[in-house]
């Protein structure tokens, strides 16, 4: 009992000194608690379905930010990792009988291999050349999918995969838990020495290379890591939808992930996650509302585009960094963040005025 109370006191100390001192960390805590509490208030099939897909797409968007946001390697064909992993997962499950807890990680390995296939020829490309080259890969793979219908199922895809957990609530807790855990892992990667080097490559690759760092190896590492996390999302999607089809390779999906990330805020990891959790449910709400107005079939996309454009017009770094900068300030000396009303840094006591 004494040991339990000691751990509780330590947990409360960490919570009070590390989490409650910053609005952004408190918002993350409330977000996690809200995710955990949703099934306690509703177990509606449609609502949980929307939130499950939102969680899967949030992992996908964060994986794009890990590559394109932090290294500046603008990937316009990110759906390749998602689609390859979904097909590998489907083949392992349908042909070899692998359960989801094996087929999804192995499908993510397929995403890593796709990252190597794309990364190696693209390492020397930059800007629009890199973007157009990466865009070509999912289009090429879509052609191969249609050319080999006996293996890939052609335009109908592969269907009949095993369910993720057997219940909608179980699926929800699995995907919601993974978006928290994998989001934290990706954030820790970007906060590590590796993340600093990736960020430096984005700012000035020549300077990084001149300091003796092998930038090629780190860019290839970014492609592989991004492919792995996108592959996890692709495998989850395949098992949840019980289908792996050409839609997982569509160009629109690659552009969708960029919109989510730019809207939420690039180079943050949590920005793209928040962007998906705002935009994806919003689009579903608009779909339900506008079903009563069949004469306005395209207004939903117009509202979506207008919202994104207005947000980026006034918040060029994205919604979440804009809100964070309003609520917090950075110490000019130790670079730690403080809540906006503090006049002195909470760590080094430097004046913030």
């Amino acid at each position: 009992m004494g040991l339990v109370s000691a751990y509780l006191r330590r947990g409360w100390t960490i919570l009070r000194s590390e989490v409650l001192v910053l609005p952004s960390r408190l918002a993350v805590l409330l977000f996690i608690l809200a995710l955990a509490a949703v099934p306690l208030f509703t177990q509606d099939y449609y609502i949980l379905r929307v939130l499950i897909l939102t969680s899967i797409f949030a992992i996908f968007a964060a994986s794009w930010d890990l590559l394109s946001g932090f290294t500046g390697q603008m990937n316009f064909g990110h759906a390749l990792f998602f689609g390859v992993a979904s097909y590998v997962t489907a083949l392992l499950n349908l042909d070899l009988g692998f359960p989801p807890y094996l087929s999804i990680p192995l499908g993510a390995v397929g995403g890593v291999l796709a990252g190597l296939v794309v990364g190696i020829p693209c390492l020397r490309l930059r800007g629009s050349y890199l973007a157009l080259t990466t865009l070509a890969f999912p289009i090429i793979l879509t052609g191969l999918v249609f050319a080999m219908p006996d293996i890939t199922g052609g335009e109908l895809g592969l269907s009949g995969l095993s369910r993720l957990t057997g219940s909608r609530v179980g699926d929800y807790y699995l995907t919601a838990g993974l978006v928290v855990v994998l989001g934290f892992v990706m954030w820790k990667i970007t906060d590590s020495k590796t993340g600093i080097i990736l960020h430096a490559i984005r700012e000035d690759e020549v300077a990084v290379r001149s300091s003796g760092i092998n930038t090629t190896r780190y860019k290839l590492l970014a492609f592989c890591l991004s492919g792995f996390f996108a592959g996890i999302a692709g495998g989850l999607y395949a098992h949840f939808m019980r289908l792996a089809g050409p839609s997982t390779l569509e160009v629109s999906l690659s552009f969708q992930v960029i919109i989510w990330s730019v809207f939420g805020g690039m180079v943050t990891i949590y920005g793209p996650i928040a962007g998906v959790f705002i935009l994806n449910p919003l689009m579903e709400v608009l779909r339900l509302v506008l079903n009563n107005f069949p004469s306005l079939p395209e207004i939903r996309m117009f509202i979506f585009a207008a919202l994104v454009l207005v947000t980026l017009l006034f918040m060029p770094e994205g919604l979440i960094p804009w809100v964070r900068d309003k609520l917090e300030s950075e110490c000019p000396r130790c670079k730690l963040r403080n809540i906006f009303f503090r006049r002195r840094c909470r760590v080094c006591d430097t004046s913030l005025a």
Side-chain angles (χ1 to χ4, degrees):
M1 193 64 185
L3 185 63
V4 173
S5 70
Y7 275 117
L8 287 176
R9 283 198 301 272
R10 183 180 178 186
W12 168 246
T13 302
I14 294 174
L15 182 69
R16 188 179 57 184
S17 60
E18 299 294 334
V19 178
L20 300 182
V21 293
L22 286 178
S24 58
R25 294 178 185 176
L26 181 60
V28 171
L29 177 63
L30 293 176
F31 171 71
I32 295 172
L33 293 176
L35 281 182
V38 166
L40 302 179
F41 294 98
T42 178
Q43 295 188 2
D44 182 89
Y45 246 52
Y46 179 72
I47 293 176
L48 291 184
R49 181 181 186 278
V50 171
L51 291 175
I52 289 168
L53 289 175
T54 300
S55 297
I56 293 173
F57 289 139
I59 298 171
F60 184 45
S63 72
W64 183 87
D65 193 34
L66 180 63
L67 171 63
S68 297
F70 279 86
T71 67
Q73 304 293 300
M74 196 54 66
N75 185 1
F76 276 18
H78 204 60
L80 176 74
F81 306 147
F82 191 85
V84 166
S86 66
Y87 271 103
V88 172
T89 299
L91 289 171
L92 290 173
N93 181 250
L94 294 174
D95 293 347
L96 301 179
F98 282 26
Y101 61 81
L102 284 179
S103 61
I104 292 174
L106 292 176
V109 174
V112 174
L113 295 177
L116 286 173
V117 170
V118 175
I120 290 174
C122 293
L123 287 175
R124 297 187 182 280
L125 300 176
R126 292 185 180 86
S128 57
Y129 297 102
L130 174 64
L132 292 175
T133 304
T134 54
L135 179 61
F137 280 96
I139 297 174
I140 293 171
L141 188 60
T142 303
L144 292 176
V145 165
F146 287 118
M148 297 185 292
D150 293 338
I151 299 175
T152 63
E155 63 181 15
L156 297 178
L158 301 170
S159 59
L161 278 73
S162 303
R163 297 183 187 279
L164 272 176
T165 65
S167 74
R168 185 55 59 93
V169 174
D171 291 349
Y172 170 79
Y173 274 121
L174 175 65
T175 53
L178 282 176
V179 74
V180 173
V181 172
L182 296 182
F184 179 74
V185 171
M186 282 185 268
W187 180 77
K188 288 299 289 182
I189 291 173
T190 60
D191 197 43
S192 66
K193 177 184 174 184
T194 300
I196 294 171
I197 293 174
L198 296 180
H199 194 85
I201 290 174
R202 177 177 182 270
E203 296 298 321
D204 192 340
E205 184 177 347
V206 176
V208 176
R209 194 184 304 129
S210 64
S211 66
I213 295 174
N214 187 339
T215 58
T216 301
R217 187 176 64 184
Y218 278 95
K219 287 196 290 185
L220 199 56
L221 176 64
F223 269 102
C224 293
L225 288 173
S226 180
F228 177 79
F229 291 112
I232 292 285
L236 289 170
Y237 181 84
H239 273 291
F240 176 67
M241 300 300 289
R242 305 187 70 195
L243 171 71
S247 62
T248 58
L249 294 164
E250 285 182 347
V251 174
S252 60
L253 184 59
S254 294
F255 285 112
Q256 189 77 45
V257 74
I258 297 173
I259 293 172
W260 285 326
S261 301
V262 173
F263 174 82
M266 291 172 57
V267 204
T268 56
I269 296 297
Y270 51 82
I273 293 175
V276 178
F277 270 89
I278 293 170
L279 291 179
N280 202 49
L282 176 64
M283 291 297 286
E284 292 299 325
V285 171
L286 287 175
R287 186 201 304 278
L288 294 176
V289 172
L290 295 174
N291 277 342
N292 299 320
F293 304 94
S295 59
L296 299 173
E298 301 299 330
I299 193 70
R300 188 170 73 104
M301 293 309 298
F302 174 78
I303 294 174
F304 173 76
L307 175 64
V308 173
L309 287 174
V310 169
T311 302
L312 295 181
L313 180 64
F314 294 100
M315 309 167 197
E317 294 185 354
L319 176 64
I320 302 305
W322 183 84
V323 173
R324 182 196 60 192
D325 291 342
K326 293 294 180 186
L327 297 176
E328 299 173 2
S329 59
E330 186 179 84
C331 173
R333 181 182 180 190
C334 67
K335 303 301 180 186
L336 287 178
R337 303 194 72 85
N338 296 267
I339 193 166
F340 68 94
F341 55 73
R342 287 189 68 93
R343 292 292 173 262
R344 305 194 73 82
C345 178
R346 60 190 168 90
V347 176
C348 66
D349 203 37
T350 300
S351 173
L352 300 176

